[in-house]
Amino acid sequence: MLKETRTFALFEAYIYMYYFTTLSLLPSGFTMLRAFSHTHGRCAFHHAKCWHHCKPVLAIRREDVNAWERRAPLAPKHVKELTQMGYKVLVQPSNRRAIHEKDYVKAGGIIQEDISEASLIIGVKKPPEDKLIPKKNYAFFSHTIKAQEANMPLLDEILRQEIRLFDYEKMVDHKGMRVVAFGKWAGVAGMINILHGLGLRFLALGHHTPFMHIGMAHNYRNSSQAVQAVRDAGYEISLGLMPKSVGPLTFVFTGTGNVSKGAQEMFNALPCEFVEPHELKEVSRSGDLRKVYGTVLSRHHHLVRKRDGLYDPVDYDKHPELYTSRFNTDIAPYTTCLINGIYWEQHTPRLLSRQDAQKLLVPVRSAAGAMDGCPELPHKLLAICDISADTGGSIEFMTECTTIDSPFCMYDADQHIIHDSVEGSGILMCSIDNLPAQLPIEATEYFGDMLFPYIEEMLLSEGSEPLESQNYSSVVRDAVIASNGSLTAKYEYIQKLRESREYAQSLKMGNKKRVLLLGSGYVSGPVLEYLTRDSNVAITVASVMKEQLEQLTKKYSNVTSVHMDVIKNEEKLSSLVKKHDLVISLLPYSAHPLVAKKCIDNKVNLVTASYLTPAMKELQESVEAAGITVISEMGLDPGLDHMLAMECIDKAKEVGATVVSYTSFCGGLPAPEHSDNPLRYKFSWSPQGVLLNTVQSATYLKNGEIINIPAGGALLDSVTPMDFFPGLNLEGFPNRDSTKYAEPYGIQTAHTLLRGTLRYKGYSKTMGGFVKLGLINPDPYPLLSSTTPPLTWKELMCKLVGIQLPAEYHVLKEAVFSKLEKDKSQLEAVEWLGLLGDEPVPAADSIVGALAKHMEMKLPFGTGERDMIVMRNEIGLRHPSGHLENKFIDLVVYGDNKGYSAMAKTVGYPTAIAAKMVLDGEIDAKGMVIPLTKNVYGPILERVRAEGIVYSTHSVIKQ
C-alpha cells in the first residue's frame, strides 16, 4: 500500500511539473489551468488524464451556408498552436475556403470529412440541420437569441439532439462588450462597398466621381489593396475633381465599437476632416469640396428624454422606451451617407422611420443657373450602409438584407417599395449581413485571435456531460444557449419570444380563414396566387427550403413563413396545424399519413394532390370520427384525369350508354425544343418520385384479362408507342393499379381499363439501363449517409458493378457496358450524366435518392425553357342503339416562360380551388374524398378553364 501511495505521489508530482513547464511555453494570455484544478487541497487531474490519453479533438467544419462564405473560425497559426499543445485538429475539406488546405496541413491539421470523433465542432455560420451530430459541443453564430423565426428549426434540432451550443455573439466581458466578433472587418468591407455604391449612384444622377474607381470589397486581394484604391480616389478629390453641383459630402458613423472603427479606418484613406455633429449643418452647406467630412455619433448626440429633452445615460439604460431620437431632424438632413453600426433592441428609439424618410427625400428646389448637364442632387441623404444588417431595426424601412451578389437596392419612401437598382428616386441601401466574408483571410485571422483564448475550455468538455459540472469562465458559460436538450436559464426567454410572436400572428389573422401550406416547391406558386386573391384568407407556409420561403413571403403580403423540417418536427407541426382551419400538403406522398394524423388530432381539414395510398385509407375511420374532410388526388394525375373521365362517364350514363373501355395516359414533359438530353426529360416535380415510378408494379385490364407487372423494372418492358400526337413521338407505360378505379368510376362493365404515363420515345430504354445498374434502388444505403466520407460516382459505380478500387476509367466503362448488355445508348446516358466520373455523390438515404438529387442538378429547366402537359383520355361507349362511340379528351398545357410551369399550373390550381371550396363550405362531405362526384369536379373544371387549363373533346362513331 505504501509503495502504491508513493507511486501515486510521484505521478501527481510529474503531472504538476509537466503542466507548469507547458504553461511557461504557452503564448501570452492563454493558459491551461482548466485542465486541472485543486479540490480540497488535492490535485484533480481528470481533464489532464483525458488529455494525456484521449487527446480531445477539435473540428473546423466546412462553411456551406452560401457561396460567398469563405471564412473559417481559426487560421493555420491557431491550429499550429493547438497541435503543438497535443490536440488533434480536424479540418473538413473545402475548395471554397479562402485559406488553402495545405496551410492547415502544414500547421498540423488533418484534412478529413468525418468529424464525428471531435468533442468540439466550430464554424462561422450555422451548419445544415441534417449535418448536426448528437451530444457534441458546437460553436458558431446561431442567430437565435432574438428568436429569429428562420433559425428556430435549427434550435429545435439542437435541443432534440442534446447539443451544447456556444454562440459567439454572446461571448461578452464583464461590461457586456463582445470579445469574439468580426466587427472591424464588417466595418472595413461595408465602407468599401458603400463608396463603390456612391460612385454608381452619383453616375445614375448624372455625375462622374472619383468613387467610380473603387470596387466591391471582395474584388481586392486584401484590405491594403482596397486602401490604395480609396487613397487614389481621395487624391482626385483633393485635386478638386468632385462636381461642384454635388456639394460637400458628409458621412455619419453611428456607434463607437469595432464596426464603426473599421469603417472609419477605411474612411481615413480619403482626404477627410472629422467634425462634431452640431457642426455638420455648416460644413454640409459651405464645406471644402476638396475633402469629405465625417462625424461620429454617440447616444448623447441624438437621444433625449421625451418629457424634458435631456439625456441621462443611467436612466436610458433602465428605461430606453422613455427616450426618442432627434437624428431625423438634427443630423439626417445634413448627411450624404449614413454608416450605421449600432445594435438595436426592442423598445429603444429608431434612427429613422418611413415617415422620416419621406420628409428627407422631398426634392430640393434647384438653384438659379442650374444646368441639365450639371444637375444638383435631388436631396441630401443619398445612401445608407446598414452594417448592423438588423432588419426592421434602427432603420425601420430596412426590411430585407442585400447580398454580396446584389449589394444595393433603392428605397422609395413615397411608394414604400424597395427595388433592385441604383437608379430612380429614393435612398441607396446596402445591408449585407456577411460583410467580413468579402475579406476572408484577414477576417479569419482577426476572429481567430479573439476566439483562441477560449477554445481550450470548450474543448475540454463533453457535450453529453451536465452543464453544471463544467468549469467554464463566465465568458464561455454565458454563451451557452442550449445544453443537454434544454435552453439554459439565461436563454429560456427565447421560447417566450416565440410564443408571443405566434400569438401576435394569430391576432393578426383575426377572423380570417387560416390555411397552412406545407411545402414551397414547384407547385406552391399557383396555390398561393389563387388563395391570396381573397384578402380574407391568411396563409402560413412551412418548408425546409429557406430561399423559396423568402421569395414567397416577399411576393405575397398576407403570407407568413415558417422555416422547418415538417417530418422532423412533429410537435411543431401539430402546434401549427392546430392554429389553422385547413392544411394543404404539397409534401411527398409518404409524408401525408403523418400530416393527416395531426389533422385528425386537431380536427382540421386537409387537401393533398397525391394518391389516396393504402396508408391514408387506413385512417378512414379516424377521419370520419373526427368529422373532418380529407381530400386526396386533387392535382393533375391523379386529379384532372379523374374529373375529365367522370364528366364524360356521367354524361354517358345520363343517355343510357355503357362504358366498355377506358384508357388514360398523362405525362409532364419538357417542350419538344427543350428535350435535348438522353432521357428526353427534365424535372418539374419530385425527381425521386419520377424515378421510383419506373420500378413500381402495375395492374391493368385489357380485353377482359387482368395483366400484372411485377415491381423492379419490368414496367419498362411494357412500353408501347403513342401516336395520337404523331409529331411528339411519345411512348407510354402502365401506371400503378388501374383496375381499382372500376368501382369508384362506376365502370365495372369495361373490358379494358388502363391508366398510364407518357414520355418521349427513348426515355424508358434509358431508365432501363439505370435499373440494370441498380441505380433505382430505394433501399437504405449507409455509405451515402451525410455522416460518412463522401463517395464519387466512379467509386459508387465500381461497387455496383463489382470491380475493385481504384479502377481505370476504361475498365469501369467496359464493366458498365457489360452490365448494360452492350447497349450503347444506355452507356451514353450514363456517361452524359457523369456517373463514371469523380463528382461526389450527393448525401442521401438511398442510391435512388442520391441519383434524384444528381439528376435535379443535371436536368433542370433552364431560364426561358418551358415544360408541357399532355393528357389523352379515350373512353369507349356502347349506346342503347348498339352503336359504339370512342370519346377522346385531350389536354395540352404549356408552361409560361416567365411564369408558372405547366406542371405547377395543372397541379396547383385544382388543389387551390378545392381548398377554397372547403373553406367556403362548397365541399362539406366528411371523410376521405376524391374528385369523382359532380358537385366536386363540376366547379373545379369550370374554374380551371379561367386559369388557362383548357381541354378539347371529339368523338368517333362506329356502327
Side-chain angles (χ1 to χ4, degrees):
M1 183 65 187
L2 182 61
K3 184 177 180 181
E4 288 177 358
T5 303
R6 288 174 178 170
T7 302
F8 183 87
L10 286 170
F11 179 68
E12 184 176 12
Y14 168 77
I15 291 292
Y16 267 109
M17 182 176 68
Y18 181 89
Y19 274 106
F20 281 120
T21 304
T22 305
L23 282 172
S24 67
L25 299 175
L26 288 178
S28 174
F30 188 92
T31 69
M32 291 183 62
L33 288 174
R34 295 189 200 287
F36 60 99
S37 59
H38 283 80
T39 306
H40 304 298
R42 295 294 309 275
C43 174
F45 51 87
H46 57 280
H47 279 314
K49 181 178 178 181
C50 176
W51 178 88
H52 185 70
H53 293 290
C54 304
K55 289 188 177 179
V57 180
L58 170 71
I60 299 175
R61 65 171 301 275
R62 171 174 54 248
E63 300 297 326
D64 40 23
V65 68
N66 65 51
W68 287 100
E69 192 48 80
R70 299 171 291 157
R71 293 173 287 176
L74 296 178
K77 64 178 182 179
H78 308 115
V79 171
K80 184 176 181 179
E81 290 194 51
L82 286 167
T83 55
Q84 287 178 342
M85 291 155 55
Y87 294 109
K88 183 177 181 180
V89 180
L90 305 178
V91 182
Q92 270 194 325
S94 174
N95 288 347
R96 185 179 289 149
R97 194 180 290 118
I99 300 177
H100 200 279
E101 287 177 358
K102 68 177 183 180
D103 295 320
Y104 283 102
V105 172
K106 189 175 180 181
I110 300 169
I111 307 301
Q112 183 173 308
E113 181 67 27
D114 182 7
I115 56 174
S116 57
E117 66 175 304
S119 59
L120 173 65
I121 299 170
I122 62 173
V124 176
K125 295 291 190 177
K126 64 179 183 179
E129 292 159 37
D130 61 353
K131 298 289 179 67
L132 292 171
I133 304 173
K135 298 184 178 180
K136 296 289 185 182
N137 292 309
Y138 275 85
F140 55 87
F141 288 106
S142 72
H143 301 295
T144 59
I145 59 173
K146 294 183 182 179
Q148 290 95 318
E149 194 167 1
N151 295 322
M152 290 302 95
L154 172 68
L155 184 59
D156 289 338
E157 193 63 16
I158 285 170
L159 294 171
R160 189 182 72 81
Q161 298 198 31
E162 299 184 18
I163 287 167
R164 181 171 298 146
L165 170 61
F166 302 93
D167 194 317
Y168 304 134
E169 192 171 357
K170 299 306 294 181
M171 297 180 74
V172 297
D173 61 19
H174 66 284
K175 295 180 180 179
M177 301 296 291
R178 289 174 61 183
V179 296
V180 179
F182 285 101
K184 172 189 172 181
W185 292 99
V188 169
M191 193 69 217
I192 298 168
N193 292 341
I194 201 62
L195 292 176
H196 168 71
L198 277 171
L200 298 176
R201 180 59 178 155
F202 276 127
L203 190 64
L205 294 172
H207 309 281
H208 171 79
T209 65
F211 298 126
M212 281 298 296
H213 304 302
I214 299 173
M216 289 288 288
H218 60 266
N219 290 334
Y220 301 103
R221 186 179 298 276
N222 51 47
S223 61
S224 298
Q225 285 190 352
V227 167
Q228 188 57 53
V230 175
R231 282 177 179 162
D232 290 344
Y235 176 68
E236 293 187 5
I237 292 172
S238 69
L239 294 178
L241 298 184
M242 283 293 293
K244 290 183 180 179
S245 58
V246 166
L249 301 186
T250 55
F251 292 76
V252 173
F253 300 84
T254 61
T256 56
N258 289 328
V259 169
S260 182
K261 289 175 182 176
Q264 292 172 52
E265 184 178 303
M266 189 57 60
F267 181 71
N268 280 323
L270 295 170
C272 63
E273 178 184 339
F274 279 89
V275 298
E276 289 298 312
H278 68 270
E279 299 174 300
L280 206 60
K281 181 177 181 179
E282 179 62 29
V283 298
S284 72
R285 293 175 176 174
S286 57
D288 189 343
L289 295 180
R290 293 169 299 176
K291 64 173 74 171
V292 294
Y293 294 90
T295 191
V296 180
L297 201 67
S298 295
R299 288 177 177 177
H300 68 276
H301 290 127
H302 68 105
L303 293 175
V304 294
R305 195 158 39 211
K306 294 174 185 177
R307 61 180 170 82
D308 58 11
L310 300 176
Y311 174 72
D312 181 337
V314 176
D315 182 54
Y316 176 78
D317 286 337
K318 292 179 180 178
H319 304 290
E321 71 279 1
L322 301 179
Y323 286 72
T324 187
S325 171
R326 286 182 177 170
F327 179 83
N328 61 330
T329 56
D330 295 359
I331 308 294
Y334 318 110
T335 302
T336 306
C337 179
L338 167 63
I339 295 90
N340 184 36
I342 59 174
Y343 179 79
W344 184 81
E345 290 183 336
Q346 289 283 354
H347 311 302
T348 60
R350 287 189 166 95
L351 285 176
L352 290 173
S353 67
R354 177 193 173 191
Q355 289 73 26
D356 295 332
Q358 286 177 315
K359 294 175 184 176
L360 292 167
L361 296 188
V362 172
V364 297
R365 184 177 300 173
S366 298
M371 294 177 288
D372 289 344
C374 305
E376 293 187 342
L377 297 178
H379 38 75
K380 184 64 178 178
L381 182 60
L382 290 184
I384 296 176
C385 181
D386 192 356
I387 300 175
S388 72
D390 195 4
T391 55
S394 55
I395 310 295
E396 184 185 31
F397 47 85
M398 199 288 281
T399 56
E400 55 186 85
C401 292
T402 57
T403 66
I404 298 174
D405 290 310
S406 301
F408 306 111
C409 65
M410 294 291 294
Y411 173 67
D412 184 333
D414 285 333
Q415 302 294 323
H416 190 45
I417 57 173
I418 294 173
H419 51 94
D420 296 330
S421 176
V422 295
E423 300 180 347
S425 61
I427 304 173
L428 182 76
M429 304 284 291
C430 181
S431 53
I432 299 169
D433 63 0
N434 59 336
L435 285 165
Q438 292 184 274
L439 296 165
I441 295 177
E442 290 161 293
T444 294
E445 292 175 343
Y446 175 86
F447 185 83
D449 286 345
M450 302 177 81
L451 176 63
F452 187 78
Y454 305 99
I455 284 289
E456 188 181 30
E457 58 182 294
M458 291 190 282
L459 182 58
L460 289 173
S461 67
E462 290 294 333
S464 58
E465 296 174 351
L467 180 63
E468 297 74 21
S469 67
Q470 307 306 306
N471 190 21
Y472 292 141
S473 63
S474 60
V475 170
V476 172
R477 180 175 293 278
D478 289 347
V480 180
I481 306 290
S483 183
N484 309 103
S486 302
L487 292 170
T488 56
K490 187 175 181 180
Y491 298 100
E492 288 175 349
Y493 72 86
I494 293 175
Q495 182 59 31
K496 294 178 182 177
L497 281 179
R498 294 176 71 173
E499 291 169 357
S500 63
R501 180 178 61 234
E502 290 169 0
Y503 178 70
Q505 289 173 348
S506 67
L507 290 179
K508 184 180 177 181
M509 288 183 176
N511 295 322
K512 292 183 177 183
K513 296 171 182 176
R514 297 164 296 177
V515 176
L516 173 62
L517 176 64
L518 302 177
S520 60
Y522 292 113
V523 301
S524 61
V527 174
L528 289 171
E529 189 276 325
Y530 187 87
L531 290 175
T532 53
R533 295 174 191 175
D534 185 347
S535 60
N536 198 40
V537 175
I539 303 173
T540 302
V541 185
S543 172
V544 74
M545 294 185 280
K546 185 178 179 181
E547 290 184 7
Q548 291 182 355
L549 277 178
E550 291 173 350
Q551 292 170 2
L552 291 173
T553 51
K554 284 180 186 177
K555 189 172 182 180
Y556 302 105
S557 59
N558 52 340
V559 170
T560 302
S561 68
V562 177
H563 182 232
M564 64 176 286
D565 187 324
V566 171
I567 308 301
K568 293 182 178 179
N569 292 273
E570 289 191 37
E571 189 174 328
K572 177 69 173 178
L573 172 62
S574 185
S575 174
L576 278 174
V577 168
K578 186 177 183 178
K579 298 171 186 173
H580 293 80
D581 304 305
L582 174 78
V583 176
I584 301 173
S585 179
L586 300 179
L587 300 171
Y589 71 88
S590 58
H592 291 157
L594 170 64
V595 176
K597 289 174 184 175
K598 301 303 179 186
C599 289
I600 292 167
D601 292 343
N602 294 287
K603 293 182 168 52
V604 175
N605 298 321
L606 170 65
V607 177
T608 84
S610 301
Y611 280 103
L612 182 59
T613 60
M616 287 289 283
K617 286 182 179 178
E618 289 178 3
L619 301 174
Q620 172 79 25
E621 290 185 7
S622 299
V623 168
E624 292 174 354
I628 64 172
T629 303
V630 173
I631 301 181
S632 300
E633 307 194 7
M634 194 52 78
L636 167 67
D637 176 6
L640 288 177
D641 57 345
H642 294 329
M643 299 183 228
L644 293 174
M646 290 310 301
E647 183 182 52
C648 178
I649 291 168
D650 285 347
K651 285 181 179 179
K653 288 181 178 180
E654 287 175 6
V655 298
T658 302
V659 176
V660 295
S661 66
Y662 171 77
T663 61
S664 175
F665 280 87
C666 181
L669 305 163
E673 66 271 27
H674 304 308
S675 60
D676 52 345
N677 63 68
L679 264 75
R680 284 80 164 164
Y681 193 81
K682 292 185 178 180
F683 290 102
S684 60
W685 71 288
S686 168
Q688 189 162 332
V690 172
L691 297 177
L692 288 175
N693 276 352
T694 62
V695 292
Q696 299 277 8
S697 63
T699 303
Y700 62 95
L701 181 68
K702 184 175 182 181
N703 297 324
E705 181 185 357
I706 292 180
I707 311 296
N708 290 302
I709 300 173
L715 192 66
L716 299 173
D717 298 326
S718 303
V719 176
T720 55
M722 295 283 145
D723 58 0
F724 48 83
F725 293 134
L728 292 180
N729 198 19
L730 299 171
E731 64 183 25
F733 50 86
N735 185 13
R736 303 182 186 239
D737 183 0
S738 301
T739 62
K740 68 180 183 180
Y741 289 98
E743 183 176 342
Y745 279 16
I747 55 173
Q748 294 92 333
T749 54
H751 58 69
T752 296
L753 182 52
L754 171 61
R755 300 174 78 254
T757 299
L758 290 175
R759 294 288 183 261
Y760 287 121
K761 188 177 180 181
Y763 171 89
S764 299
K765 186 177 182 182
T766 301
M767 291 300 300
F770 299 149
V771 173
K772 291 175 188 175
L773 293 170
L775 290 167
I776 316 296
N777 186 346
D779 296 336
Y781 198 79
L783 288 178
L784 297 181
S785 166
S786 59
T787 60
T788 60
L791 288 175
T792 65
W793 280 108
K794 181 179 180 180
E795 290 168 338
L796 178 59
M797 291 300 292
C798 284
K799 293 179 182 294
L800 293 178
V801 299
I803 63 174
Q804 292 292 319
L805 286 167
E808 296 291 333
Y809 183 88
H810 71 275
V811 174
L812 175 58
K813 181 177 177 180
E814 186 58 37
V816 169
F817 193 36
S818 297
K819 193 85 170 177
L820 294 174
E821 299 171 355
K822 306 293 184 181
D823 190 304
K824 289 184 178 180
S825 64
Q826 291 179 341
L827 179 64
E828 287 172 3
V830 170
E831 289 189 289
W832 187 89
L833 284 168
L835 302 183
L836 304 183
D838 293 323
E839 191 173 342
V841 181
D845 295 330
S846 63
I847 294 175
V848 71
L851 182 64
K853 291 180 180 179
H854 183 72
M855 282 190 167
E856 189 170 22
M857 292 185 288
K858 292 287 186 180
L859 297 170
F861 281 90
T863 303
E865 294 185 346
R866 58 182 185 160
D867 69 331
M868 74 173 184
I869 295 299
V870 180
M871 182 189 291
R872 159 62 70 95
N873 284 356
E874 182 177 343
I875 303 175
L877 304 174
R878 184 174 295 280
H879 287 271
S881 62
H883 71 269
L884 291 173
E885 177 186 4
N886 282 337
K887 195 86 171 180
F888 300 97
I889 307 168
D890 294 323
L891 174 65
V892 179
V893 180
Y894 284 89
D896 303 321
N897 283 337
K898 294 184 179 180
Y900 300 127
S901 69
M903 181 65 75
K905 289 190 288 187
T906 53
V907 175
Y909 282 125
T911 301
I913 292 167
K916 190 68 166 62
M917 289 174 70
V918 174
L919 288 173
D920 294 343
E922 288 185 80
I923 299 176
D924 57 4
K926 304 305 178 186
M928 296 290 191
V929 176
I930 59 176
L932 302 181
T933 56
K934 191 172 182 177
N935 68 311
V936 175
Y937 71 68
I940 293 176
L941 288 178
E942 181 182 344
R943 292 168 197 178
V944 294
R945 289 191 194 99
E947 308 305 329
I949 301 172
V950 180
Y951 57 93
S952 62
T953 64
H954 68 278
S955 295
V956 175
I957 306 295
K958 295 180 181 180
Q959 295 300 329

